[in-house]
Every structure is written in structure tokens, then in C-alpha cells.
């Protein structure tokens, strides 16, 4: 059974995922209508994901005086203010494209505070014995939330006079949901950080093999993530011919499959088969993104959605369990705030590298070759990650036996 704090975190994440899925998907599409360029949207994402690790850093500083639940609530309030900014100033975006980057600036700051507190609270409230069930339960509820989000959003767009009017209504609903998540977050037990910590020494990867593995894994994971953040959503949107309702229908169908896959993953992922499942899941994810960019039509979009929805729980759940278990080792001896911040720098460093390379290739190669090369590079990262994990765990297990 999950304890009270675990249940509250599952609920907060579920509400957040409904709101974040609706806003992330349709904010990107909405802003894409103003820029008309996937590369401008990549630059927007770079601003947003530069602010996330900075938000982690600030959260680490204030965690000495504020409880983790207070930081969580504050992050949600900042995200709400970003959506308010979007609603108030969207009429100025056409003539002032730089204002779009303000959305990324504010959302990224709020997300940094939010995810810092979530990562810390996940470790605080769960144990090695309950963690697999906690992560799986959260994955199932998050997957269910991503079914509700596109379904509701699609109905709103379909019942509106135009897609743009529908997007505006979606943003209002997202604000209400984020306010609800902020209220629930105040019910989480107050956890305070009383021990001191350091950050910059955690960027030294020479001394500790396990920490080098954690940091490198997050960096590689971030490379693949960079492609999902902007490109895949817009590529699917373009494959539908820019029809917001069809786009939402596809996302709803993919989310249903993702929920089924999360349920299966929670039952079949065990310690003895974890790496093998990790590997096959990574291969499927590689083919999904490659199909989307090589076959840029509805067939490619459907293949990507189906395969990605089915495979991602087996990869992401395994990744999270392995990384949280590794982080647990450090909680026994130190305040791991510095490590939480450092690994966020690694994760977003990978994301920013992938995005920067995508923009750089647009100046070097003509379309569609620049996009194909960028997606290939980011796609293969997930396979590299799993091969790296397999080698590391094989060597570590052999060393333990000796």
C-alpha cells in the first residue's frame, strides 16, 4: 500500500500531467502558428530548458528555509503566471516574436522549482521496497492523465469556432488545473533540508564511478529528449495537415496505448529482466522517431505514436528505477540536493546540445536533410544509453561477486 504522501504525489503528478500535456502540446502548436518555423520553436525550447536547471539551483538555495511542498506550490504558481502572460500578450506575438521567448523563460523557471521538489519528495516519501510500485502507480496515473488531456483538448478545439479560439480556452482550463495541483501540494507533509550541500564538486566525474554513470546517463537521455520536446509534436501536427482536432484524436489514441503499456510494464519489469527489457524498448523507440522523419505523413505519424506509446514505459520506468536506486545510496551519507541539481544540469545539457545541433544543421544542410540528420543523431542516443547501462551493470555485478 502507498502511504499518504505517496498518494498525494501521485495525485499532484496526475493533475499536473493533464495540465502539462494540454499546455505543452498546444502551446507548441499555438506558438508555431506565429513563428511558422520548427527552428524558432527549438530556440524557444532552449530558453525554457536553460531556465529549468537554473530553477533547480535556486530551489536548492531556498530549500534550507522553505519546505519542499512550499517550493512545489511556488513552482506551480509561476507556471500559472506564464500561462497568464500567454493569454494577456498573445495579440502582440505576431509583431514581437521575442515575446514568445518570455513564455519559455517563465515556464522554465516554474518547472525548475516544480521538478526539483518532486524529485526530492519522491526520494523522501518512498523506500527501496515501495519504489517500484510507487513509480509504476505514478506512471499508470500519468498515462491515464495523458488520455484525458488530448481528449478534452480535442473536444474543446472541435467545438470552437477556430483552432486558435480553442487553444485559448484550453489555456484557461490548464490554469484552473494547475491551481488545483497547487492546492493539493499544500497538503503534502513538510520536509525540510537541514544539512549543507555542495554543487560544483558534483560535476567532477573522475572519482566516483557510480556518479559518473548517473550523470552520463542523464546527459544521453537528455539528447534523445531534445527531439521529443519540440520536433515530434510539430511533425505529427504537420502530418495531419494542421488539423487541430485530428491531431488531438491521434494523441488520445496514443495515450490509451501508453496506459496499457504502463500497466503491463508495472507487472513485468523485474530486477532480473530489467536490462533486457530496457534494450528492446530502446530499439523500438529508435525506429519510431526515424519513421516519423523519414516518412513525414500520416503513416509515419501513426507508426511513431503507436510504437512510442508502447515502448516508452519500458524504457522510462526502468531508467527512473535505476537512477532513483543509485541516488538512494547517497541519501544515507549526505544531503543529496547538490546531486539532484547537478544531474539536472546534465539532463538539460543533453537537451540543449540536441537542440543547438538541430539549429546548427539548419544552416549547414538543406531541408529535409538537416532534420533527418538531427533526428537520427538524437534517436540513436537512446540505444547508446542502454548499451552503456548494460556494460556498466555487467561490470558492477561482476565486481560485487568478486
Amino acid at each position: 500500500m502507498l502511504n499518504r504522501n505517496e498518494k498525494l504525489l501521485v495525485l499532484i503528478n496526475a493533475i499536473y500531467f493533464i495540465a502539462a500535456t494540454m499546455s505543452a502540446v498546444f502551446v507548441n502548436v499555438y506558438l508555431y502558428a506565429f513563428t511558422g518555423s520548427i527552428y524558432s520553436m527549438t530556440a524557444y525550447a532552449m530558453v525554457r530548458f536553460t531556465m529549468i536547471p537554473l530553477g533547480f539551483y535556486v530551489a536548492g538555495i531556498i530549500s534550507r528555509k522553505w519546505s519542499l511542498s512550499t517550493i512545489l506550490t511556488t513552482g506551480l504558481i509561476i507556471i500559472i503566471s506564464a500561462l497568464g502572460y500567454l493569454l494577456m500578450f498573445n495579440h502582440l506575438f505576431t509583431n514581437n516574436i521575442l515575446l514568445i521567448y518570455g513564455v519559455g523563460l517563465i515556464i522554465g523557471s516554474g518547472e525548475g522549482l516544480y521538478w526539483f521538489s518532486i524529485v526530492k519528495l519522491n526520494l523522501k516519501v518512498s523506500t527501496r521496497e515501495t519504489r517500484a510500485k510507487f513509480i509504476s502507480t505514478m506512471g499508470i496515473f500519468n498515462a491515464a492523465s495523458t488520455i484525458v488531456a488530448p481528449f478534452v483538448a480535442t473536444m474543446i478545439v472541435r467545438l470552437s469556432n477556430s483552432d486558435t479560439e480553442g487553444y485559448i480556452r484550453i489555456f484557461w482550463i490548464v490554469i484552473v488545473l494547475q491551481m488545483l495541483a497547487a492546492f493539493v501540494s499544500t497538503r503534502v507533509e513538510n520536509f525540510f533540508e537541514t544539512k549543507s550541500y555542495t554543487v560544483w564538486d558534483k560535476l567532477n566525474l573522475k572519482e566516483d564511478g557510480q556518479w559518473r554513470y548517473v550523470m552520463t546517463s542523464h546527459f544521453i537521455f537528455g539528447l534523445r529528449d531534445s527531439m521529443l520536446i519540440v520536433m515530434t509534436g510539430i511533425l505529427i501536427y504537420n502530418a495531419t495537415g494542421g488539423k487541430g482536432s485530428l491531431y488531438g484524436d491521434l494523441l488520445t489514441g496514443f495515450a490509451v496505448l501508453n496506459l496499457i503499456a504502463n500497466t503491463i510494464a508495472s507487472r513485468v519489469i523485474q530486477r532480473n529482466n530489467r536490462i533486457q527489457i530496457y534494450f528492446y524498448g530502446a530499439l523500438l523507440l529508435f525506429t519510431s522517431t526515424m519513421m516519423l522523419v523519414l516518412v513525414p505523413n500520416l503513416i509515419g505519424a501513426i507508426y511513431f505514436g503507436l510504437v512510442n506509446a508502447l515502448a516508452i514505459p519500458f524504457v522510462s520506468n526502468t531508467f527512473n528505477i535505476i537512477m532513483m536506486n543509485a541516488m538512494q545510496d547517497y541519501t544515507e551519507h549526505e544531503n543529496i540536493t547538490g546531486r539532484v541539481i547537478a544531474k539536472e544540469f546534465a539532463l538539460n545539457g543533453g537537451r540543449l546540445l540536441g537542440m543547438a545541433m538541430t539549429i546548427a544543421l539548419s544552416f549547414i544542410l538543406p531541408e529535409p536533410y538537416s532534420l533527418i540528420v538531427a533526428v537520427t543523431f538524437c534517436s540513436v542516443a537512446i540505444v547508446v544509453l542502454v548499451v552503456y547501462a548494460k556494460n556498466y551493470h555487467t561490470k558492477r555485478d561482476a565486481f560485487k561477486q568478486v
Side-chain angles (χ1 to χ4, degrees), residues 2 42 62 93 125 139 142 146 161 171 176 195 207 213 218 229 260 284 301 323 330 335 349 352 370 381 389-390 399:
L2 301 181
T42 302
I62 63 178
F93 289 169
V125 306
N142 291 349
T146 57
N161 294 324
F171 300 150
V176 173
K195 298 179 181 178
E207 306 298 329
Y213 169 61
H218 276 83
I229 291 165
I260 295 171
L284 287 172
M323 292 301 122
Y330 298 102
N335 178 354
L352 292 173
S370 61
K390 185 175 182 180
F399 178 77

Side-chain angles (χ1 to χ4, degrees), residues 16 23 27 48 100 107 116-117 126 140 177 196 219 223 241 259 281 321 364 375 395:
Y16 176 83
S23 63
V27 163
R48 176 184 163 198
I100 289 175
I107 286 182
F116 171 87
S117 51
S126 65
I140 291 170
L177 287 171
S196 61
F219 182 82
L223 273 177
L259 174 60
I321 291 170
I364 300 171
V375 171
K395 291 179 181 178

Side-chain angles (χ1 to χ4, degrees), residues 21-160:
T21 301
M22 291 174 71
S23 63
V25 170
F26 288 95
V27 163
N28 280 348
V29 169
Y30 181 72
L31 296 180
Y32 179 62
F34 289 100
T35 65
S37 168
I38 197 170
Y39 300 109
S40 295
M41 290 308 302
T42 302
Y44 155 80
M46 289 185 71
V47 172
R48 176 184 163 198
F49 284 92
T50 296
M51 294 307 300
I52 289 177
L54 294 179
F56 264 70
Y57 186 75
V58 171
I61 295 173
I62 63 178
S63 67
R64 299 294 302 277
K65 297 182 179 179
W66 294 11
S67 70
L68 293 174
S69 58
T70 301
I71 297 172
L72 176 60
T73 306
T74 304
L76 288 167
I77 291 172
I78 293 174
I79 293 171
I80 292 168
S81 70
L83 294 169
Y85 168 90
L86 177 65
L87 288 170
M88 290 176 62
F89 298 106
N90 66 79
H91 62 285
L92 302 175
F93 289 169
T94 302
N95 297 321
N96 301 274
I97 295 297
L98 290 178
L99 290 176
I100 289 175
Y101 300 122
V103 179
L105 191 76
I106 303 171
I107 286 182
S109 302
E111 288 175 328
L113 298 184
Y114 174 83
W115 285 111
F116 171 87
S117 51
I118 283 294
V119 169
K120 293 282 291 182
L121 284 168
N122 284 349
L123 286 166
K124 290 278 188 182
V125 306
S126 65
T127 65
R128 286 186 184 274
E129 290 72 30
T130 66
R131 185 157 298 133
K133 183 174 179 58
F134 174 55
I135 292 295
S136 298
T137 303
M138 187 173 290
I140 291 170
F141 273 81
N142 291 349
S145 300
T146 57
I147 295 174
V148 174
F151 176 77
V152 173
T154 302
M155 293 303 297
I156 293 170
V157 172
R158 186 169 283 133
L159 295 173
S160 300

Side-chain angles (χ1 to χ4, degrees), residues 330-349:
Y330 298 102
T331 61
E332 300 169 5
H333 309 290
E334 62 180 275
N335 178 354
I336 63 165
T337 297
R339 296 189 186 274
V340 170
I341 295 170
K343 73 181 180 63
E344 195 62 24
F345 274 98
L347 176 65
N348 285 283

